[in-house]
Amino acid sequence: MNGQGGSFFSRLKAGLSKTRELLFMNVEAIARGIGPIDENVLSELEEALILADTGAELSHEYVEALRAKWRRGELSDVEALRSELRRMVAETLRPRMAPLDVRPPYPFVVLVVGVNGVGKTTTIGKIAHCFKGEGHPVLLAAGDTFRAAAIEQLKVWADRVGTDFVRHKEGSDSSAVAFDALRAATARGTHVVLIDTAGRLHTKSHLMEEMRKVVRVIGREIPGAPHEVLLVLDATNGRNAIAQAKTFQEFTGVTGLALTKLDGTAKGGVVLSVTREIDAPIRFIGVGESVDDLRPFDAGAFAEALF
Amino acid sequence: MFENLTEKFQGVLKTLRGQGRISEGNIEAALREVRLALLEADVNYNVVKEFTAAVKEKALGAEVLASLSPDQHFIKIVHGEMARMMGGEARELNLARRPPVPVMLVGLQGSGKTTSCGKLALFLQKKKRSPFLVPADVYRPAAIEQLKVLGGQIGIPVYDSDPGADPVDICREAVKFADLSGYDTVLLDTAGRLHIDEELMEELRRIKEAVDPGDILLVADAMTGQDAVNVARAFHQKLSLTGVVLTKMDGDARGGAALSIRAVTGAPLKFVGVGEKLDALEPFFPDRMASRILGMGDILTLVEKAQDTIDEKQARELERKLRKSQFTLEDFREQLLRLRKMGSMEDLLGMIPGMGGKLKEMKGAAPDEGELKRTLAIIDSMTREERRNVKILNGSRRKRIALGSGTSVQEVNRLLKNFQQAEGMIKRFSQAGTRKGARNLPFFR
């Protein structure tokens, strides 16, 4: 799961192109790659960072640090500025780089949560593919019992990847699905259980309470579980993703993040601002539709691709 | 939706209240606040600039109507300009032509196309059309299945698409099939795609050519803010959209997309999705939305919702019962169910004039879905006799009901107490013939 193939890097780079364009197209001097740095360049850069949803505070910090270096004469040209920015971004992100490691005692239980339409089910399919490739027996639990045909959608992934599959009928209690999945996994010696849940807007408190119950039921059945509460965030939601993360954090104790659809937005800066406001590592980022486009998060590669 | 914006506008109006007249000075300060509020709500910068300029010009230019105070005058202008910014007149679907009329739904992944398709079908059915659903997303696993399930839930036929077929052929065949079967509106649910994906955009263009749709609606996620606007612009350039459906408006999206999508892209907003249930789709009326944003409420939509869910005969029957003091728990239950059908309490409260700005305080007061469900469960656990005559409910019956509904005796007692209060109030209300009592009618709690 640590394969950092050159082809993925180029896809990552292509996926982040919108954000990169936003960051540098407007900062003309940087776009041209020549010329001295002046106050103008710095303030344009700050604005571009904010527009890319990096968050006002963090953008300000970056630019202040750059300004200090520039005053000391340490930044001779825009190329130096670019690489310094790259270094700072990698530094911000590195503490949040912690791949999701499956480890005994098995089953290792992963609960996948998020608002509607961020790509939870697809993410589960892709992660299952990863784990399966590492030789772990995997079980998928169709905990989204609300949305029409969500169960069938996950079933297609289970068949495609070749994993076990636990389901109830539509409209049943997702806690019960989780419960049965854990029983089945324990009996069969499954290593990884991935539990899907129905998308819910974080503003709906009764639905968030229901989520809390699922977590509780899992913990009662297997002490210490869920070992991971993976929150899937849609990068195109930009700063709203932060509000989502905070609420899910409060109700379910999020332990990891997956950021999807980075290729569809210029708000790639949101990856940076979540590190500031959410205390959980970024496990995966998604930059495309194919199974291989969801990858473990790599701070260095990300910073490299962004600038 | 728009709670923050509403709050800000209330603040602006407060500063104008009590001023003698509108002058360059006080309008300048008020406009600055308006500008910030709109920018904060993620409205496009240029749109905000144009908007504030127009408001300023009108506010200073026009003679003040003698009967209006400065804040009333200001709000009138803001309301008008805001409605204009959102497109002015409400735009309906282009259905007035020889049936079947195909309607294409397009958009990015996860924006809510399939769900909106189901909602739109239900909406059209209420408008006495006969819709036909066509799943044309052969890529996402179980997307076809999803539309079939939705169709089953609302009793609307769904085309049996072959997942191995070309989406263009599916759409063409489906429209032919609809023509033969007598359906008048064909909703085509296309695959989600990024607007930079040329291959799939080409597929959409071919579908458009094959079926000549009356409408091409973009489904966009309101939470993506200005990204939704950019997406709309890209799709509009490539496909000439006839309208936009903004989904997930019930979240805490800042509303910028709804306000500026028309002004930036030229494509009108036709519907907004306001909840998970299939009836949570509202046609978009710029003037009504402006009223809601300004905290003036939206009585028209409220009345329409009520008309949609309440059947006149039933209403008259209820009135008769009320007069004769025969209001039973059965009627109470029916009222609860009907209320639930109308939408969430928060939504409904927001439509009442003057409530907009107070929504935040009301949050805790509105009963949530869970409480409604428990109340219904309690009533459902009673025998018919008990529902008709609550006086026979002794201790052991109450215990049984609590067990049966998964609640506690205390909760059963509370419900009964509330019901008796309501009953008493209704009695007084119908005897005295005054309307005063109705205002305090405690529906639950």
Side-chain angles (χ1 to χ4, degrees), chain B residues 11-52:
Chain B
V12 173
L13 290 175
K14 237 179 231 161
T15 62
L16 278 180
R17 208 162 293 155
Q19 308 252 7
R21 52 185 293 269
I22 290 186
S23 69
E24 182 109 31
N26 56 25
I27 198 98
E28 208 54 75
L31 275 175
R32 199 173 320 118
E33 291 295 314
V34 168
R35 212 178 80 101
L36 281 177
L38 289 173
L39 284 176
E40 207 167 293
D42 200 20
V43 180
N44 176 286
Y45 181 78
N46 291 322
V47 175
V48 174
K49 228 165 67 180
E50 242 168 72
F51 173 79
T52 43

Side-chain angles (χ1 to χ4, degrees), chain B residues 116-134:
Chain B
S116 297
C117 222
K119 287 179 174 178
L120 206 52
L122 187 63
F123 172 83
L124 289 168
Q125 197 183 39
K126 278 187 190 157
K127 297 262 173 255
K128 307 277 181 252
R129 306 274 308 182
S130 62
F132 185 51
L133 292 166
V134 182

